[in-house]
Amino acid sequence: FDQRNPAEETRIKVDWSDFRADLNHRQQTVLDGLAEGRLNSETADRLHVSRGRVTQIVTEVAGKVVERFGYGVAPAGWGGE
């Protein structure tokens, strides 16, 4: 059960573009892949890196999400393969 108030929900939605701008290219590509429902293997192919590296980047981005917005913001299934 999400206990955020509407003002908090709006702040989170507004801040996503600022959050994304603070990520490096690889992190942005991984975030975009997650948002589009791509598998880590597909994102790895786009970046010419291993699936393991993509998993590491997912963990980095998830940590940044928690740091900025708190727990419970990241979509379910991040990093799924």
Side-chain angles (χ1 to χ4, degrees):
F1 181 76
D2 192 350
Q3 296 184 9
R4 278 191 212 89
N5 66 42
E8 181 70 6
E9 289 293 330
T10 300
R11 182 190 67 79
I12 289 170
K13 289 176 185 175
V14 169
D15 287 349
W16 276 109
S17 61
D18 290 338
F19 173 78
R20 191 179 182 287
D22 289 339
L23 301 177
N24 66 40
H25 172 72
R26 281 187 175 179
Q27 291 169 332
Q28 288 179 4
T29 301
V30 169
L31 183 63
D32 293 345
L34 292 169
E36 295 167 6
R38 270 189 251 130
L39 298 174
N40 285 355
S41 58
E42 295 169 317
T43 300
D45 290 344
R46 286 181 184 221
L47 291 173
H48 306 288
V49 299
S50 70
R51 283 185 292 179
R53 179 62 187 129
V54 170
T55 299
Q56 289 174 332
I57 295 169
V58 168
T59 301
E60 292 168 10
V61 172
K64 290 175 183 258
V65 168
V66 169
E67 183 179 300
R68 181 127 176 202
F69 302 109
Y71 289 99
V73 176
W78 269 30
E81 188 64 26

